[in-house]
Amino acid sequence: MLVHICCSVDSHYFLQELQKLYPHTPLTGFFYNPNIHPHTEYELRLLDVKRSCQALNIPLLEGDYTLDSWMQAIKGLEQEKEKGKRCSVCFDARLERSAQMALMLGLKHFSTTLLSSPMKEQEALKTQGQAIGQKYGLEFVYLNVRACGGVEKQNALAKKDKLYRQNYCGCVFALEKQRQAQDKPCIELISPLNGQTHPASIASRLELFKQRQDLEAKKQDYHLLQQNLQTYLLLRGGAYTKRGAIASQILTHSATKKTKIKDLQIAKTPLKPTLAEDILCKRLGVLPPTSSIELGFSSKDDTLFLDTAGVACILNAPKTPLKSLKLTYAQELCIREKIAGAESIQPILIVQDLNALIGNVLEVEIKAEFFEQKNFYLLTTS
């Protein structure tokens, strides 16, 4: 029997129930989900499905990621509500491809783990599956695993076996509507201009679940937990003089600001020890290392400026021209902590040369958002 698989949370329980009902029927999984967007989310769900199928000793086939043809199929239905006409077309596309794959493999039966999802209409899936089965001369195997406490059992199993639990159905349209209802930006669809991997991004999540695989390969015990993150998103910003924009980088956690600075000054400022440095020095009974950098500041505003020489000093790295400066998210947080403290949200801008700013009227405009985001993390145990 070929079983179309949408995600590990739905498939892990569904496949085991199928194995109980059809103990002498070999199952083959088929991951075909061109609706999943962005592609990093597709990769993450596939990674977890592979892990699940390996644990259940079920071979897995991967279909093509045909996003363009899927988008063409649902054209005109983009604004449909969840469980509406767009979802029906989406189910048809995936079930039809699954039926074709079953036929190609010489199988007579097919099914789908979509039947186990609380977000899908059982009867609609059953009707669609049976119609497509009849079209190809196949039997669509309908199984209602959600009855008799099945949803609770599925969720408990997902938690026990440390599966990836996605927080949206899969397609970009469902994601956008869900985030609008939550009054949150679609961080899943935003790529930072500086190329950083944001801690709340899907790319970061994908790396974490790859680390989980490594821990399991080494038989290292761990817990897969979730935490609420205070997430920062820079929407736009810059610094300007009457001659135009100034080349600059806005440090993460710089709050929304629109200000005009007429009295920029430069002063040598000692750096603060980070919390980690402070703890280590106290443990060793030594004083934290002391160093200082030049900062640009105003007596009438809390915006701060530092140059690339200051960045090199803080990170203990070679001086890099601003146009080539590529900082990680963690490095930006470190710079902020050393200058203004870990809890600060005042605007901090990196420029090439502080002295070039003196005597100018500076306009700073930043638009940013802070919002709460739930994310995964690994807690390893000895």
Side-chain angles (χ1 to χ4, degrees):
M1 184 191 308
L2 186 78
V3 184
H4 166 257
I5 294 176
C6 54
C7 67
S8 61
V9 172
D10 288 346
S11 68
H12 202 59
Y13 179 67
F14 187 88
L15 291 171
Q16 292 180 66
E17 292 302 298
L18 268 182
Q19 286 176 325
K20 292 175 187 175
L21 287 172
Y22 301 91
H24 305 299
T25 302
L27 304 179
T28 298
F30 180 50
F31 189 84
Y32 177 67
N33 302 286
N35 60 306
I36 298 176
H37 192 80
H39 192 258
T40 44
E41 177 71 18
Y42 174 90
E43 291 179 297
L44 178 49
R45 297 190 193 189
L46 175 59
L47 178 75
D48 217 47
V49 166
K50 285 180 177 178
R51 173 179 175 268
S52 167
C53 285
Q54 186 176 15
L56 301 177
N57 198 28
I58 293 174
L60 177 69
L61 302 174
E62 180 189 357
D64 295 330
Y65 184 67
T66 53
L67 178 63
D68 288 345
S69 61
W70 183 87
M71 293 287 278
Q72 190 62 35
I74 58 88
K75 191 173 182 179
L77 303 172
E78 293 88 348
Q79 301 309 313
E80 283 281 317
K81 293 182 179 180
E82 193 89 5
K83 300 184 181 181
K85 292 180 181 178
R86 184 186 66 244
C87 292
S88 293
V89 172
C90 181
F91 300 155
D92 278 344
R94 290 188 279 172
L95 289 173
E96 180 134 4
R97 185 69 188 95
S98 300
Q100 292 168 353
M101 178 60 72
L103 207 61
M104 191 165 56
L105 295 172
L107 304 176
K108 297 297 184 184
H109 303 82
F110 78 109
S111 189
T112 177
T113 64
L114 288 165
L115 290 166
S116 66
S117 173
M119 297 300 294
K120 310 298 182 289
E121 293 285 0
Q122 285 271 312
E123 286 304 314
L125 280 168
K126 181 180 179 181
T127 301
Q128 287 172 274
Q130 289 174 341
I132 290 170
Q134 188 175 13
K135 176 181 176 180
Y136 288 95
L138 302 172
E139 181 183 341
F140 178 72
V141 177
Y142 171 75
L143 175 62
N144 183 5
V145 296
R146 286 158 51 183
C148 303
V151 174
E152 290 76 15
K153 293 174 185 176
Q154 176 179 311
N155 290 336
L157 184 63
K159 187 173 182 180
K160 170 183 167 291
D161 288 348
K162 302 170 183 174
L163 303 179
Y164 167 57
R165 297 181 63 87
Q166 63 269 13
N167 57 13
Y168 67 100
C169 177
C171 81
V172 61
F173 309 109
L175 172 61
E176 287 175 340
K177 285 188 176 294
Q178 189 169 317
R179 294 295 174 264
Q180 286 171 7
Q182 295 169 335
D183 195 26
K184 289 182 179 180
C186 269
I187 194 169
E188 296 87 352
L189 305 179
I190 297 172
S191 297
L193 294 175
N194 57 16
Q196 286 180 347
T197 299
H198 196 286
S201 68
I202 298 172
S204 177
R205 211 174 298 159
L206 178 58
E207 287 306 310
L208 181 135
F209 277 85
K210 287 179 179 178
Q211 291 171 24
R212 180 200 63 179
Q213 310 285 73
D214 292 339
L215 290 174
E216 290 179 342
K218 297 173 184 175
K219 301 189 184 303
Q220 169 73 52
D221 289 335
Y222 70 94
H223 296 283
L224 179 63
L225 304 174
Q226 291 196 55
Q227 62 183 165
N228 285 326
L229 295 177
Q230 183 70 7
T231 303
Y232 174 80
L233 188 61
L234 176 64
L235 301 176
R236 64 178 185 273
Y240 312 86
T241 67
K242 64 181 180 181
R243 292 188 295 274
I246 302 166
S248 62
Q249 289 188 22
I250 299 170
L251 218 58
T252 190
H253 288 201
S254 292
T256 294
K257 166 79 72 169
K258 187 173 183 179
T259 188
K260 189 174 287 189
I261 299 172
K262 301 178 180 179
D263 63 335
L264 189 74
Q265 306 170 55
I266 299 175
K268 199 91 168 175
T269 307
L271 296 173
K272 304 174 187 293
T274 65
L275 178 60
E277 288 172 342
D278 196 45
I279 291 172
L280 180 60
C281 290
K282 285 180 179 178
R283 186 177 297 168
L284 297 175
V286 298
L287 294 174
T290 58
S291 57
S292 59
I293 63 168
E294 288 190 333
L295 278 182
F297 69 97
S298 165
S299 60
K300 300 176 182 178
D301 190 86
D302 66 345
T303 304
L304 297 176
F305 296 83
L306 76 154
D307 56 22
T308 53
V311 171
C313 177
I314 292 172
L315 299 179
N316 192 25
K319 184 179 175 181
T320 304
L322 184 66
K323 63 181 180 180
S324 305
L325 189 62
K326 304 291 184 185
L327 299 174
T328 66
Y329 197 84
Q331 285 175 324
E332 290 198 23
L333 287 179
C334 175
I335 292 169
R336 173 170 291 281
E337 187 174 2
K338 296 283 281 185
I339 291 174
E343 302 300 321
S344 68
I345 60 170
Q346 68 199 89
I348 302 177
L349 286 81
I350 303 171
V351 296
Q352 179 63 45
D353 180 13
L354 283 174
N355 290 301
L357 304 183
I358 296 299
N360 288 290
V361 176
L362 304 172
E363 293 187 32
V364 175
E365 185 170 356
I366 297 171
K367 176 64 176 175
E369 284 191 28
F370 290 89
F371 58 96
E372 194 174 277
Q373 180 90 345
K374 189 166 281 189
N375 213 1
F376 295 90
Y377 73 103
L378 294 173
L379 182 66
T380 56
T381 56
S382 56

